[in-house]
Every structure is written in structure tokens, then in C-alpha cells.
Amino acid sequence: MSTLADKLTALVAQAAEAAGYGDSPIPLEPCVPTNDPRHGDYQSNYAFRVGKAARTNPRAVAQAMVDALGDSELVASAEVAGPGFINFRIADAALAADLMERIGSATLGAPRIGEGKTMVIDYSSPNIAKRMHVGHLRSTIIGAAIDRIHRMLGYTVIADNHIGDWGTQFGMLIVAWHRWRDEAAFAEDSIAELQRLYRLFREEAKEDASLEDLARAETAKLQAGDADNLALWERFVKESLVEFEGVYERLGVSFDVVHGESYYRDGLQALVDRLLDQGIATMSEGAAVVEFSPEDGKGLGKSPLLVRKSDGAALYGTTDLATVEHRMATWNPETIVYVTDQRQQLHFRQVFAAAKKMGHTAPEYVHVWFGMVRNPDGSIMASRKDGSAITLVDLLDTARDEARKRVDDKSSHLPEEERAAIAEAVGVGAIVYNDLSQNPQSDVIFDWEKMLAMEGNTAPYLMYALARCHSLLRKAGDFEPGGLVLGHESERALALQISRTPEVVLQCAGTWKTNALADHLYGLAGALAAFWRDCPVLKDDVDPATRQSRLTLAHATAVAMSSGLELLGLTPLERM
């Protein structure tokens, strides 16, 4: 289903053709919402650009296009503005019809621009035998939101959790396991015991250097396929994945495949040998590197990618290139997306350039990078005062508990089980929304009071706005949407905001950023507040037709708000 902007853009193209400007070399750009609703709903700058290119008066071109529009069921008015812009106001009947068609669609009628296209997205990527911590938060929730948005637009999305499950740390764990393990502690909390063993190994190794030699030997045995070490490693992986899944379930995140570093281990040396044979990699001081020229990318000329160390060990870059090969051979995606923090920008520019040298030039490579999570005082939120890492489980539990205080205070009449579910949804939603409502490339400030506030651009505010819609619909009793008539400007403004939702989803997909959707939902909640203020629904003096129309608009708001919140990873609540 076309968006309102697409429909208007098509009208502009027809008007340009009719006005004699159909052969202009200027590409047609989509209509966009006006900055000031007093000037209309949408604006086109096409006439201005055509006029400038033709060295003629842009306002005259714009007027010619307006005159050529003729009668349109879509447009109530079209006016020339400024130096040659055209401002459009959508006809009320057309807007009502558009909204009704959208709320009958599971995707709000979002254009399926991804049909027939495959996208692989790599996000979260925690390390085995360690708890997920605050450092995994942004990759997980940003990646999941991008994942959902592209699925909504028709893409075949392969979500791949590239976990850290291979390397020298497992040799250390195996040595520590045999020397100091506590089976009872492992049975009670396996990850806590594995982390204790790892820390104990590092402490003991400071005093006994032979431990490092033992760890290297156990790592070598593991990589050679030793049955006992493989069995231990598999046990560590299994326990870790169980814990990860618990966190993902609370965040509403799921993956299509979980292919960690170990998945590619057997082919890494052969890959490096092939790169050397083909001249893509060269030897440098005993190590194998992929060198770049300025043509491979700005700033890469002095930054080779190390793919094999002088001791023969493969590295992250080697695994990442093997991963690209696997993904191209398995899914042949049009796009491969990596969601990591800002510190890995150079690494992925190197990987992308090396992959292209290997012949994988077809896909679009995207690195969605993000800033750090900070406390209100500006410090990086990474650890507690005692130096221990802040785990995601602790963070989610704290959010739930803080939300529970507010739920108990305001909704003590609700059953215990329902209050617990609301607190979980609001607490987790507050964390997720606080992140996704900001530009991902900016640092995120973690302030509990602001995140959980019932006013402002927060998850609780939006979730309450949705719950209020459901409350009204419950009071109304039996109801079927229909009969929508936009008789008041506040009704119209709300309907327009709802119908624009797919346009914002498209914008998020195009920019790889979700904050535009958060801003849109906040604007939708504001339009809803104006609707409540100006347009009574269930009062005795409201006639049946108006009551029906306004109930339909409340229902449509609930549909759009629920869809937007779910795309961001929040749980829509019917009451709070």
C-alpha cells in the first residue's frame, strides 16, 4: 500500500508532465511533511528544483504544476509557497479512507519494499562463560529494532548472533575447572562459577607463570579436537546459552541462527592460505595481512588487516571474513549489517574492504555503530563502585523493581500477577525506549527518574497513552470500527499522524536509526492528548454517529501505537 507521501509524489509527477516539465532531468523527490501544519500537510520542492535547473522562475513552474493538478480526491488544496514550493492539504475524506485501510493491515499498510531481498544482521554477540553486561545492551536492542523494522517492510531477515565462543580464554577455564571448581556452585549458578574460575586463574597466573603455558596447551588440545576438552567446552556453551536466552526473552529478542566464532574455526587457516595464494594477503614480519590502497577507502592505506599472527593464530578479522563467505554462500544477501559500538569502525571498514577484494562486491555492507551508555554525571556506565560489571539481568531487575514501586502506588487495585507483569513491561520498556529514542551515534544517559517518568518522551508515557485508548474502548462495550468522519481539527491531526506511521518506518530503515519512530510515537501521543481535550467520546450529549467515529479513531490510535511500540521492542499494555 502506498504511503500518503507516495500518493502525493505520484500526483506531482503527473502535474509536471501535464505542465510540460515531464522531460526535466531533475529526479523526482518524495513529498515530505510540512514543518508547520498551518501551511498544509505535505510539501514538494520539485517545482523549485526544476525551475532553478531550467533557469526560469520556480514560482511560475510551481503555479503551472498546481494549475495542472486538476480535481483530485486526494488533495483538498495545493498552494505555491516561498520561492517555489507546493504545499498540499489532504482531503478529509481521503485521509479517513487511508486510515481505515491502514488499520485493517497487520503492517499498517507499510510498503513491502524488501520483498525478494535478503538481509543478514549481526548483533548482540555476547561472550560464552560470561554474563551479558551493560556493554551488550545497545547492540542487542538497536539490532533487534532494525531487525523488526525490516521484516515489517518485507525483507527476509537472517538474525545471526555471532557469539564469542572460541579462543584462549577456554584454555584458562579448563585449567581452572580441573584445579578449583565447585560443582555445587556450578549447579546453582553456572555462569557465576565460570566467572569466578576465570578471575581466579588470572590472579593465580600473576604469581605462577606456568599456568599460562598450561592454558595454551589446553587451548591447543581443544582446537585439535580433544574429546574431554570439547565436552567441557560444549558444557560451558550450553549453560551460557540458557542464560542468554533468559535475557533475550525479557527483551523480546530472538535470533534465526547462533553461529559463533567456533562455527568457522576449521576453515580459517585454509582461508588465509587462499588469500596469500591469490595475492590478497601478503606476509609482513611473519604475519599475514591484507593491505589497502586509498582506493579501498579513505584512511585505510596505512591500516592493514591482520589475518594471521606470526605464531599462526587467526584473529577476529579472519573469522569475520570467513563469516562473510559463509553468509554469501548460504543466503546470498543484498545487505549485511553489523551492530557494534563506535570503537569498531575501523575494523569493519577493513573487513568490508577485504571482503570486496575477495570478490564479495554485490552486498551492501553496513556498520551501524553507536555511542556509550553513561551515568547522569557523564561517566561511562560499565561497572559498580566495587569494579564488578553491571549485568543486564541486574539492570533489568532494577528497572522492574523501580517500575513496581510506581505501579503499586498508582494501580494497587489490580491483581498481584497483573501488577508484576505491568512492572516488568514498563521497566524493561523504559530501558529500551530510553536508548532507541536517541540518536544511536550519541552517548545515552541512563537516568532512572527520567526514564520512568509518566510525562515527557518516555516509555511509561506512551504506554499509558495506549492503555487509555483501551480503557475507553472497554467502557464503550461492543464496537466495530467504521464510520470515520474527521469533523474537528484535533481529529484530523490525530488521523494524519496515524497514517504517517509507515512513512516513518521507511525513514528508519533508510537511516538505520530508530529515534525517528520514537519521536513519531511521542507526537502521536501528543495528538491523542489534544483529541481527548477537544473531542468528547462517551458523554451523553455526543450523538451516535460522532461517538462511533471517535471510537474508531481511538481504536486506530491503539493499532498504530501498538505497532510502533512493538517495532521498538516494548510490550503494548491494555491497562496500567
Side-chain angles (χ1 to χ4, degrees):
M1 180 179 174
S2 298
T3 65
L4 286 173
D6 288 339
K7 294 174 183 178
L8 284 173
T9 303
L11 276 182
V12 170
Q14 294 172 17
E17 182 73 29
Y21 297 103
D23 60 351
S24 172
I26 300 300
L28 181 65
E29 292 184 353
C31 294
V32 297
T34 57
N35 292 325
D36 187 339
R38 293 175 299 177
H39 299 153
D41 301 326
Y42 288 86
Q43 184 178 89
S44 171
N45 69 354
Y46 186 58
F48 172 77
R49 295 171 62 242
V50 168
K52 293 287 285 186
R55 299 179 181 273
T56 188
N57 184 349
R59 281 186 61 88
V61 175
Q63 189 61 59
M65 289 187 185
V66 168
D67 293 341
L69 278 173
D71 295 331
S72 168
E73 293 182 355
L74 179 63
V75 176
S77 65
E79 298 177 349
V80 178
F85 303 138
I86 303 175
N87 290 341
F88 297 94
R89 182 178 172 90
I90 304 294
D92 290 353
L95 178 56
D98 181 88
L99 183 144
M100 291 303 298
E101 188 176 359
R102 291 197 186 283
I103 63 173
S105 162
T107 61
L108 290 176
R112 305 282 286 177
I113 61 170
E115 290 284 6
K117 299 177 182 177
T118 298
M119 183 182 90
V120 176
I121 180 166
D122 180 327
Y123 63 97
S124 192
S125 305
N127 292 316
I128 292 299
K130 295 181 181 179
R131 289 224 146 90
M132 292 178 69
H133 54 77
V134 69
H136 297 110
L137 176 65
R138 301 204 73 188
S139 175
T140 302
I141 61 181
I142 292 171
I146 292 172
D147 178 346
R148 295 186 201 97
I149 284 170
H150 283 81
R151 289 179 197 267
M152 183 183 193
L153 296 175
Y155 287 84
T156 297
V157 179
I158 310 298
D160 186 353
N161 193 2
H162 188 77
I163 58 174
D165 65 349
W166 203 243
T168 56
Q169 70 270 28
F170 289 100
M172 300 177 189
L173 273 177
I174 291 169
V175 171
W177 176 267
H178 289 306
R179 289 191 171 215
W180 307 302
R181 73 179 180 274
D182 183 331
E183 290 279 9
F186 185 82
E188 181 177 347
D189 189 337
S190 58
I191 306 305
E193 174 62 5
L194 291 175
Q195 291 192 152
R196 182 190 73 84
L197 290 174
Y198 182 76
R199 288 193 297 268
L200 182 57
F201 178 92
R202 299 303 294 266
E203 292 168 5
E204 294 292 328
K206 292 177 183 177
E207 304 298 328
D208 183 357
S210 68
L211 288 174
E212 296 283 2
D213 294 331
L214 289 173
R216 281 190 285 270
E218 295 295 349
T219 300
K221 287 169 61 179
L222 173 65
Q223 293 177 347
D226 177 80
D228 291 338
N229 281 10
L230 275 175
L232 262 184
W233 171 78
E234 289 169 355
R235 190 176 180 187
F236 299 160
V237 171
K238 180 181 177 181
E239 294 294 333
S240 299
L241 291 178
V242 170
E243 168 136 336
F244 296 162
E245 191 54 42
V247 174
Y248 292 140
E249 184 176 356
R250 295 180 72 178
L251 290 171
V253 173
S254 62
F255 295 91
D256 299 291
V257 294
V258 181
H259 287 167
E261 295 166 3
S262 66
Y263 187 83
Y264 308 97
R265 65 183 187 266
D266 293 337
L268 296 183
Q269 296 304 330
L271 170 62
V272 175
D273 290 340
R274 179 155 44 91
L275 294 178
L276 289 167
D277 290 343
Q278 295 174 349
I280 296 171
T282 57
M283 297 302 297
S284 175
E285 299 180 4
V289 300
V290 178
E291 296 184 334
F292 305 107
S293 66
E295 290 73 25
D296 294 315
K298 185 177 179 181
L300 289 181
K302 297 181 180 180
S303 302
L305 176 66
L306 184 62
V307 291
R308 185 159 64 198
K309 294 168 64 175
S310 57
D311 63 4
L315 296 103
Y316 289 126
T318 325
T319 304
D320 285 334
L321 291 179
T323 302
V324 170
E325 287 211 318
H326 169 76
R327 289 169 176 166
M328 292 306 299
T330 307
W331 300 297
N332 193 29
E334 280 76 14
T335 309
I336 304 178
V337 185
Y338 298 81
V339 186
T340 76
D341 71 48
Q342 59 193 10
R343 293 169 295 183
Q344 296 192 46
Q345 291 182 75
L346 174 60
H347 172 75
F348 280 106
R349 290 181 62 217
Q350 293 172 319
V351 169
F352 299 162
K356 291 175 182 177
K357 285 179 176 290
M358 294 166 63
H360 302 301
T361 58
E364 175 189 15
Y365 296 97
V366 179
H367 181 209
V368 178
W369 58 269
F370 50 82
M372 309 303 289
V373 180
R374 295 185 181 274
N375 296 304
D377 64 3
S379 61
I380 294 178
M381 186 179 181
S383 60
R384 302 181 183 87
K385 292 181 180 180
D386 64 2
S388 60
I390 299 175
T391 70
L392 276 192
V393 171
D394 290 343
L395 200 67
L396 296 177
D397 285 350
T398 301
R400 176 201 61 205
D401 295 344
E402 289 293 324
R404 181 62 189 264
K405 297 174 186 176
R406 292 158 173 80
V407 173
D408 286 345
D409 180 54
K410 296 182 180 295
S411 304
S412 58
H413 61 286
L414 295 177
E416 160 69 22
E417 185 176 345
E418 186 171 1
R419 276 183 286 146
I422 291 172
E424 174 76 9
V426 172
V428 173
I431 290 176
V432 172
Y433 189 82
N434 181 64
D435 191 308
L436 299 182
S437 62
Q438 303 180 58
N439 185 327
Q441 294 177 358
S442 300
D443 290 347
V444 168
I445 303 301
F446 214 88
D447 186 321
W448 288 114
E449 289 301 318
K450 289 184 178 180
M451 287 164 52
L452 290 165
M454 288 298 296
E455 296 181 353
N457 191 9
T458 67
Y461 173 69
L462 297 183
M463 297 169 88
Y464 179 73
L466 171 60
R468 189 173 176 187
C469 288
H470 284 294
S471 175
L472 176 78
L473 295 170
R474 283 195 300 272
K475 291 177 183 177
D478 292 338
F479 160 74
E480 288 294 331
L484 180 60
V485 178
L486 304 175
H488 190 284
E489 192 58 33
S490 290
E491 294 173 314
R492 189 182 185 283
L494 180 55
L496 183 61
Q497 191 79 358
I498 295 169
S499 280
R500 281 178 173 167
T501 303
E503 297 171 20
V504 180
V505 173
L506 286 168
Q507 179 185 346
C508 292
T511 60
W512 305 100
K513 297 177 181 178
T514 59
N515 51 305
L517 179 56
D519 290 342
H520 174 75
L521 295 177
Y522 183 49
L524 178 58
L528 177 65
F531 170 70
W532 295 139
R533 180 194 66 214
D534 299 334
C535 305
V537 181
L538 299 181
K539 287 187 176 181
D540 293 339
D541 58 350
V542 177
D543 65 84
T546 301
R547 179 178 183 272
Q548 170 69 22
S549 176
R550 290 176 178 174
L551 283 172
T552 296
L553 196 49
H555 167 76
T557 305
V559 171
M561 185 72 77
S562 295
S563 178
L565 291 176
E566 287 175 342
L567 284 177
L568 294 178
L570 281 71
T571 301
L573 296 174
E574 295 196 1
R575 61 179 181 174
M576 288 175 63

